[in-house]
Structures are given as C-alpha cells and as structure tokens.
Amino acid sequence: MKEFVVIHDYLVTEAIIGDWDGQEEQVVEKINEFYHTFYDLAEEDIETEVLEQLLALIWDTWIGQDELPDLASEDIYDWCRHVLENRDQHLQNQDY
C-alpha cells in the first residue's frame, strides 16, 4: 500500500549525488522531481514492495545520465507514467 512508503526517505541532497560540475542543484531538483512525480502517479493500492522496487529504478536509471540536469518536467512525467504502465517488464529486469 502506497501510504506505507515515506517518499521523504528517497529524496536526495547535493551531498548524496556527487560531483556534477556545478549542476548539483539541478540534479537534486530533477531526481527529487522524479520521486515525487512517481509517487503521485502510483495508485493508492500499489503493493508497498512493488512501489519500493520501482522507486529504486529512478536512482539506478538516472543518476549517471548526462541529460539529467536538463530534463523537462514533461519528460519526467512521461518516464514515470511509462514505468508504472509497464511495471512487470521493469521489475523482471531488476535483480530483486
């Protein structure tokens, strides 16, 4: 159930994300926007474990991507929606 996942436990700070050549603030904003968007889009009755696994995809997928600081909110929304709609495929690709 969604209410058992505390989204604030996932949010990052500049100390966590590492060196981004002066773009640390933008990267923090984008990663945290991913987490908030994903959480907001997830249905209320999503299994807690499934939501946690899907939220882990955000860090695993995006932290090394050069385009991260420049992503538009629409791109973040679209990615989150895609992952939720195709969750079975994404969960099969994880090492859980």
Side-chain angles (χ1 to χ4, degrees), residues 34-53:
F34 267 108
Y35 286 127
H36 280 291
T37 301
F38 201 95
Y39 188 84
D40 290 346
L41 289 173
E43 60 274 6
E44 294 298 322
D45 62 347
I46 190 170
E47 292 180 35
T48 302
E49 182 177 308
V50 169
L51 180 55
E52 290 172 340
Q53 290 175 357

Side-chain angles (χ1 to χ4, degrees), residues 20 31 58-68:
W20 278 83
I31 290 287
I58 294 168
W59 181 267
D60 295 343
T61 301
W62 288 103
I63 196 57
Q65 300 299 318
D66 292 337
E67 69 269 18
L68 180 58

Side-chain angles (χ1 to χ4, degrees), residues 18-90:
D19 182 24
W20 278 83
D21 295 325
Q23 294 184 303
E24 291 83 6
E25 186 176 333
Q26 294 93 329
V27 170
V28 166
E29 288 177 11
K30 297 302 178 176
I31 290 287
N32 289 339
E33 184 176 348
F34 267 108
Y35 286 127
H36 280 291
T37 301
F38 201 95
Y39 188 84
D40 290 346
L41 289 173
E43 60 274 6
E44 294 298 322
D45 62 347
I46 190 170
E47 292 180 35
T48 302
E49 182 177 308
V50 169
L51 180 55
E52 290 172 340
Q53 290 175 357
L54 292 171
L55 286 168
L57 279 175
I58 294 168
W59 181 267
D60 295 343
T61 301
W62 288 103
I63 196 57
Q65 300 299 318
D66 292 337
E67 69 269 18
L68 180 58
D70 301 317
L71 285 176
S73 293
E74 181 178 294
D75 296 328
I76 292 171
Y77 178 91
D78 289 346
W79 184 86
C80 292
R81 172 60 55 205
H82 171 78
V83 171
L84 280 166
E85 290 174 354
N86 298 284
R87 72 184 70 176
D88 292 339
Q89 174 187 352
H90 291 283

